[in-house]
Amino acid sequence: IVQLYVDATGRDGIEYPTAVGPIDILGIDDRGGFVVFELKRANAPDRAIGQLARYMGWVQQTIGSGKSVR
């Protein structure tokens, strides 16, 4: 089960701002791990994978330190 992430300031995980761009949806699973969603309207080009990897890296290095990020 994944729920929408809400940070300490009350900011929710929809269009969650980061230093590498806004994450479309940032969730947290029942074990406290982060789940990053990147939504695309059409076939996602290879660069979308790089975008997702940057978001995941940012989460791991900041708010998700020591937690799983998928």
Side-chain angles (χ1 to χ4, degrees), residues 2-70:
V2 176
Q3 296 180 357
L4 191 61
Y5 174 71
V6 178
D7 68 17
T9 69
R11 171 81 188 180
D12 69 29
I14 298 173
E15 291 291 319
Y16 194 80
T18 75
V20 295
I23 297 173
D24 286 345
I25 300 172
L26 180 59
I28 194 157
D29 65 23
D30 55 351
R31 295 183 182 186
F34 286 89
V35 183
V36 179
F37 294 91
E38 177 60 27
L39 306 176
K40 298 294 183 197
R41 290 184 185 174
N43 291 337
D46 289 343
R47 67 179 178 213
I49 301 302
Q51 184 180 19
L52 184 58
R54 284 191 303 277
Y55 295 153
M56 292 174 66
W58 181 89
V59 170
Q60 186 67 53
Q61 293 174 2
T62 58
I63 60 176
S65 182
K67 298 181 180 181
S68 71
V69 179
R70 55 189 174 102

